[in-house]
Amino acid sequence: MTFNRLAVYCGSATPEDTRYIELARHVGTTLAERGIGVVYGGGKAGLMGALAYAALEAGGEVVGVIPQALVDMEVANTDCTELHVVETMHQRKQAFTDLSDGFVTLPGGVGTLDELWEAVSWAQLGYHQSPVGLLNAFGYYDGLIAFNRQMAETGFVRAAHRGILITGETLEELLQKMSDYKPIQTIVQMRAEDL
């Protein structure tokens, strides 16, 4: 599988640990160098801004999707190749799905996790068949990965869906795994007795 654009989920915060900002810059630069456009939250602060400006500096395409309320707060990145202004967070997440061929989640907070889990949930249901990647840099998501495994072992994640969440400790490893992804049998494709 090749990617034209990837939705990249990440925080608008700037952690004291500068490794996270450097990671976002690395992701932006690498995707641009590979000819992969970045679809992201449209902000100019924190990891979001670092990701976008690095991709732009490397000559990449950057598509921002941001709610009007955040534009009104003057946090929108008007330097994007394209900036889509939407009314709601739901419209924002729908646009991420519509505009990209896959999802990469960097370290972030509650909003980042909301976006990640919606991408996973929508894959289970069959609203998209794109790979959902989680970049576990610096072990940031170790606990989340363990919890995802616990959900599967307990039976809350079906066997057919255990491979939806793709993890990697480096971007290069993650992109390779994502390119090898094979779409799964979705819930809407299953018979009622298989649920």
Side-chain angles (χ1 to χ4, degrees), residues 3 6 11-12 18 29 60 69 84 106-107 110 191:
F3 304 111
L6 288 173
S12 60
T18 59
T29 300
H84 299 257
L106 306 186
V110 173
R191 298 174 307 191

Side-chain angles (χ1 to χ4, degrees), residues 51-73:
L51 166 81
Y53 287 115
L56 289 167
E57 287 168 10
E61 177 193 39
V62 175
V63 179
V65 184
I66 190 166
Q68 182 65 53
L70 295 179
V71 173
D72 294 344
M73 292 174 56

Side-chain angles (χ1 to χ4, degrees), residues 84-118:
H84 299 257
V85 179
V86 296
E87 289 302 315
T88 68
M89 293 297 285
H90 178 77
Q91 290 171 338
R92 183 192 216 184
K93 290 184 284 186
Q94 182 67 58
F96 289 147
T97 302
D98 293 343
L99 294 169
S100 67
D101 308 309
F103 308 87
V104 173
T105 302
L106 306 186
V110 173
T112 303
L113 292 179
D114 172 53
E115 293 163 342
L116 167 67
W117 287 124
E118 184 157 298

